[in-house]
Amino acid sequence: MKKIILASALGMSLAVTGMASANDVVPNLDKGTKSLDINGSYDNNTALDYQFNLGVGVGYFFIDNLEVAAVGGWQSNSLSDTYELGATAEYNFSTGTPWVPFVTVGVLWAGTELDDDVYNDTGDIDSDAWLGRFGGGIKYFFRNDIALALNLKYDIASDDIYSDDDGNLDDYNWTVGLGLRFYFD
């Protein structure tokens, strides 16, 4: 029991120390900065057995606080896999603290492959569509060049490509993700 209490106290001390040093952080969101974004989510409490999302992006700040990025992603559940590729623009609202809210818009192409065991269709991409992406979230900068980001994305598609809980396809999708952002000069 003493080991658990000691380990918990040490962990909280390290967390408080990290947060205290983060007060000196100045987020690196200036013109010319490059970025790498890795984000995802997992939900095992859905009617489709599970929902897994993984996204990556590589961006560049053309002006302070405004990033344009090439993005890719993969969404999977027990009925389908959806692949995404496109571009987004993200505006960051500097607050003078390590906390930085942001909004995102983008245009992507997505293709969905339905589970061939369920739908008996052996085609590579069963449905594809253009997406409009809208989102936002907040980042917490641990250092000037590393941030933890929580985001919410809403995708609206030109065709029905997203599996819903009833096994049907919809033309919209909500995702919540957690990710790491890295910034380079």
Side-chain angles (χ1 to χ4, degrees):
M1 182 66 159
K2 288 182 183 180
K3 288 182 182 179
I4 293 173
I5 293 171
L6 181 61
S8 298
L10 179 62
M12 287 192 293
S13 297
L14 290 173
V16 169
T17 303
M19 289 179 148
S21 67
N23 289 334
D24 298 335
V25 169
V26 177
N28 185 11
L29 304 172
D30 300 328
K31 179 180 177 180
T33 300
K34 296 167 238 15
S35 71
L36 172 65
D37 174 17
I38 303 168
N39 64 75
S41 65
Y42 180 78
D43 183 3
N44 65 350
N45 190 22
T46 69
L48 298 175
D49 191 30
Y50 67 91
Q51 179 69 38
F52 176 75
N53 299 296
L54 179 65
V56 296
V58 178
Y60 183 79
F61 284 81
F62 286 96
I63 60 173
D64 290 355
N65 299 316
L66 181 64
E67 174 188 17
V68 175
V71 296
W74 171 47
Q75 298 181 27
S76 180
N77 57 43
S78 60
L79 291 180
S80 66
D81 290 304
T82 301
Y83 307 95
E84 305 170 343
L85 189 59
T88 61
E90 179 177 284
Y91 187 79
N92 298 275
F93 299 93
S94 293
T95 61
T97 71
W99 297 95
V100 178
F102 63 91
V103 293
T104 304
V105 296
V107 176
L108 295 88
W109 172 87
T112 297
E113 167 63 25
L114 299 173
D115 185 353
D116 294 334
D117 294 334
V118 175
Y119 291 99
N120 240 357
D121 185 0
T122 58
D124 286 338
I125 296 293
D126 296 312
S127 183
D128 65 338
W130 288 98
L131 306 178
R133 174 165 290 168
F134 306 93
I138 191 159
K139 301 175 195 172
Y140 178 77
F141 280 80
F142 293 100
R143 296 179 18 176
N144 297 350
D145 55 357
I146 300 175
L148 181 66
L150 177 65
N151 62 51
L152 174 68
K153 293 184 270 189
Y154 175 73
D155 293 333
I156 184 80
S158 62
D159 198 3
D160 295 341
I161 60 170
Y162 294 110
S163 298
D164 65 14
D165 290 346
D166 299 324
N168 299 316
L169 295 177
D170 286 330
D171 65 351
Y172 67 92
N173 190 40
W174 288 95
T175 54
V176 175
L178 187 63
L180 284 174
R181 306 275 183 105
F182 301 94
Y183 299 91
F184 311 96
D185 282 327

